[in-house]
C-alpha cells in the first residue's frame, strides 16, 4: 500500500506508550505543552473536557494515537470501571489505607530538643563498633541514621526511593562515605548535620506516600475485573 502511494508512503507505527512516556518525562514537555494550553479556549465544561482537548492537540510525534482511539479507550475503561463498581457494591473489599507526608517536621522537633537529640545519638553510639582509640568508622553513619529514623519521623532506609535520594545527597555533601575513622563527637556532629540537610530538603520538597492493602476480601473476588462472556462482549480495539 505504501509503495502504491509513491511520494506519500504510509508509515505503520506501533503506539505502545513508550514514546508518550519519553515525551512527558523529557526536557521539551513544558515547552511544547504550554503553547497547547494557551491556545485552548477556557473550558465551559469540566477539567476533563479541557484535558481531552489538550490531548487532541498531541500527535504521533509525541506518542499519542489519533483521538478516535483514546476516546474508545475512555469508553471501554468506563465500562470496566462500572462493572468493578457494581461488583464492589455486591461484595465490598476491606482495605487498610494510610497516607504520610515527610516534610522535615519530625527532624525539626528532634533537633530542637537537645535532651532527646543527645539521648538518641548516645544510644546509637552504644551499638557502633569502635577501634582501640575510641574512634568510630563513618561507614556506620547510614546504620546510625536508620537507628534515629523513628525519632526523626523518617522511614527506614530503602523503604522510599525519593527519600533515599535525599539522604544520598546529604551524605555526599557531608563526605559521609569517605571511610574515615572519627571521634565520637565528630560522628554525632556529622549525623546531626545530615539530619539538618535532610530536613531542609524535605521542607522545600515534601514527600507524600500512600499505601493500601487488602485486609479482607470476599470469596470469589478474584473475578473482580474478569466478567463472564454473558455479561460483557469483548470488542477489538484498533490503534
Amino acid at each position: 500500500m505504501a509503495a502504491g502511494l509513491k511520494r506519500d508512503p504510509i508509515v505503520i507505527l506501533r503506539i505502545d506508550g513508550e514514546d508518550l512516556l519519553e515525551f512527558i518525562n523529557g526536557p521539551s514537555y513544558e515547552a511544547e505543552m504550554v503553547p497547547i494550553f494557551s491556545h485552548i479556549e477556557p473550558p465551559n465544561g469540566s477539567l476533563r473536557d479541557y484535558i481531552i482537548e489538550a490531548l487532541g492537540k498531541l500527535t504521533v510525534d509525541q506518542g499519542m494515537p489519533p483521538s478516535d482511539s483514546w476516546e474508545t479507550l475512555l469508553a471501554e475503561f468506563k465500562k470496566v470501571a462500572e462493572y468493578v463498581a457494581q461488583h464492589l457494591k455486591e461484595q465490598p473489599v476491606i482495605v487498610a489505607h494510610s497516607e504520610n507526608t515527610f516534610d522535615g517536621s519530625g527532624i525539626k522537633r528532634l533537633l530542637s530538643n537537645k535532651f532527646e537529640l543527645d539521648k538518641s545519638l548516645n544510644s546509637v553510639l552504644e551499638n557502633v563498633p569502635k577501634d582501640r582509640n575510641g574512634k568510630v568508622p563513618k561507614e556506620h553513619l547510614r546504620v546510625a541514621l536508620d537507628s534515629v529514623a523513628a525519632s526523626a519521623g523518617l522511614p527506614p532506609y530503602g523503604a522510599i526511593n525519593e527519600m533515599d535520594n535525599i539522604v544520598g545527597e546529604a551524605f555526599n555533601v557531608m563526605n559521609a562515605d569517605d571511610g574515615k575513622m572519627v571521634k565520637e563527637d565528630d560522628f554525632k556532629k556529622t549525623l546531626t548535620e545530615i539530619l539538618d540537610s535532610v530536613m531542609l530538603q524535605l521542607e522545600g520538597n515534601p514527600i507524600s506516600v500512600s499505601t493500601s492493602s487488602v485486609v479482607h476480601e470476599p470469596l470469589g473476588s478474584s473475578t473482580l475485573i474478569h466478567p463472564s462472556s454473558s455479561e460483557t462482549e469483548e470488542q477489538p480495539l484498533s490503534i
Side-chain angles (χ1 to χ4, degrees):
M1 180 170 62
L5 292 173
K6 296 183 180 178
R7 288 184 298 178
D8 297 309
I10 293 177
V11 178
I12 304 301
L13 301 175
R14 183 174 184 268
I15 308 295
D16 58 5
E18 289 296 325
D19 290 338
L20 185 58
L21 282 174
E22 183 178 345
F23 168 64
I24 63 178
N25 293 314
S28 65
Y29 171 69
E30 290 189 8
E32 293 189 40
M33 288 305 299
V34 168
I36 288 177
F37 283 117
S38 65
H39 286 88
I40 297 177
E41 293 293 331
N44 294 322
S46 63
L47 178 60
R48 174 183 178 277
D49 297 330
Y50 191 64
I51 292 176
I52 287 178
E53 187 171 350
L55 288 172
K57 303 290 185 181
L58 299 180
T59 68
V60 293
D61 292 332
Q62 289 92 20
M64 178 63 69
S67 60
D68 55 346
S69 297
W70 46 261
E71 284 180 0
T72 302
L73 286 172
L74 288 174
E76 292 302 316
F77 176 81
K78 184 177 181 180
K79 290 180 183 178
V80 175
E82 288 174 343
Y83 170 81
V84 172
Q86 181 60 36
H87 189 92
L88 289 172
K89 185 176 181 180
E90 297 170 358
Q91 299 187 43
V93 176
I94 309 302
V95 175
H97 178 75
S98 66
E99 295 183 2
N100 198 355
T101 298
F102 301 99
D103 56 5
S105 58
I107 303 177
K108 192 170 187 176
R109 281 194 298 271
L110 179 63
L111 295 180
S112 63
N113 189 327
K114 189 176 185 305
F115 175 79
E116 287 298 327
L117 178 61
D118 289 341
K119 179 180 176 182
S120 297
L121 295 177
N122 290 332
S123 176
V124 167
L125 281 172
E126 290 177 1
N127 300 312
V128 175
K130 307 173 184 63
D131 67 6
R132 66 179 67 181
N133 298 316
K135 289 188 175 182
V136 184
K138 290 173 71 175
E139 64 187 37
H140 288 282
L141 279 167
R142 290 189 184 273
V143 177
L145 181 61
D146 239 13
S147 298
V148 301
S151 301
L154 296 175
Y157 187 78
I160 303 173
N161 290 334
E162 295 91 335
M163 184 67 71
D164 293 347
N165 292 335
I166 290 178
V167 170
E169 290 178 11
F171 269 70
N172 290 335
V173 171
M174 303 300 166
N175 292 320
D177 292 321
D178 59 13
K180 293 182 179 179
M181 303 289 291
V182 295
K183 296 179 180 179
E184 289 189 6
D185 287 345
D186 292 332
F187 187 89
K188 292 193 290 186
K189 179 182 177 183
T190 302
L191 182 55
T192 301
E193 290 175 343
I194 289 172
L195 286 168
D196 186 64
S197 177
V198 172
M199 178 190 72
L200 294 175
Q201 289 285 337
L202 291 176
E203 285 180 339
N205 297 287
I207 295 176
S208 297
V209 179
S210 65
T211 59
S212 299
S213 59
V214 175
V215 176
H216 172 74
E217 59 181 339
L219 294 175
S221 61
S222 59
T223 61
L224 187 63
I225 57 173
H226 300 288
S228 64
S229 57
S230 62
E231 294 173 309
T232 63
E233 181 179 353
E234 184 176 351
Q235 297 291 339
L237 175 61
S238 300
I239 297 179

